[in-house]
Amino acid sequence: MCQKPLPCGGHVDVHYPFFLVYRPYCGYPGMAVVCDGACAIMKLSGHNYTILDISYDDHTVTLADREVLNGGECPRVTHNVTVSPSSSLSFTANNDNISFFFDCVFTAGTTPARPTSISPINCSSSFLQAERDSSRVSYVAAQADVASQEEWPRACRTAVVVPVLKDWVQNPEYQQNLNSDGYGEVLKRGFELSWETSEGPCNVCEQTKGKCSHNHSGEFVGCLCPDGRVRTADCGKPGLWYTHLFFLIYFLMISFESSTPSPVFIVFS
């Protein structure tokens, strides 16, 4: 019923609880994958992300924004990263956030004033080239470096917050170059999501070696069993048949012994 592990994008094996988008009946909600040539792609809130890695042992998946991967050394981030509440995925503690403030305009002698602790983005990207010819500037900083009470972000047209891997954004090599090509390198390493062991009806199904089927609304609709059956709840309790068989044989032995003087031995291997 469920697909076997399928190489996708050249380096990722896709299997339960992930599923191919055209075979949506076996897997967890929000974990659909599209194989697009050399890329394995997931969609989050309408945006495409390339799968960099899946760890089925750790229950984690590492994703990177496709716009970022295709945006050169200094990509422009255009949207926040959000995960639908109906998805089985959530952000892990291995992420940090970085904030972008685009198209900021400061006028001398007025408030808010330019930030003094953060330097503008200084990169050769085409979108920033236009800014250097005008009064607009853009900034990037670790979210912890921008205090919530600071006023200068009000001078910026757009603010975007994205998750990145802590190990990379806290790396001194990239941290000191964050406002140049360092932020692009950090973004391209992606961010990490995880999935938890299922709960409710799906957990009951999996406890009996089944795999869960959900509809497009994320509702559990059936248990796909190893023998090919589709059941409404589970694949049957392991060992229950053995218990019934044991008592059946026991009572048969008692009945047989009551009518036969010779001892009877039954050995289970």
Side-chain angles (χ1 to χ4, degrees), residues 150-174:
E150 292 192 48
E151 294 189 358
W152 68 264
R154 293 191 294 108
C156 307
R157 181 181 299 175
T158 308
V160 179
V161 179
V162 295
V164 292
L165 292 173
K166 282 183 180 179
D167 288 348
W168 288 98
V169 73
Q170 295 178 3
N171 184 316
E173 177 184 352
Y174 297 112

Side-chain angles (χ1 to χ4, degrees), residues 105-182:
V105 177
F106 301 96
T107 304
T110 64
T111 57
R114 290 174 179 262
T116 57
S117 60
I118 302 174
S119 300
I121 295 176
N122 178 23
C123 214
S124 58
S125 176
S126 58
F127 86 87
L128 290 167
Q129 184 67 46
E131 293 182 1
R132 282 196 292 270
D133 298 334
S134 69
S135 60
R136 292 176 294 140
V137 291
S138 296
Y139 295 88
V140 58
Q143 194 171 37
D145 294 337
V146 182
S148 58
Q149 67 270 22
E150 292 192 48
E151 294 189 358
W152 68 264
R154 293 191 294 108
C156 307
R157 181 181 299 175
T158 308
V160 179
V161 179
V162 295
V164 292
L165 292 173
K166 282 183 180 179
D167 288 348
W168 288 98
V169 73
Q170 295 178 3
N171 184 316
E173 177 184 352
Y174 297 112
Q175 198 171 44
Q176 66 184 359
N177 296 315
L178 198 62
N179 70 320
S180 56
D181 59 352

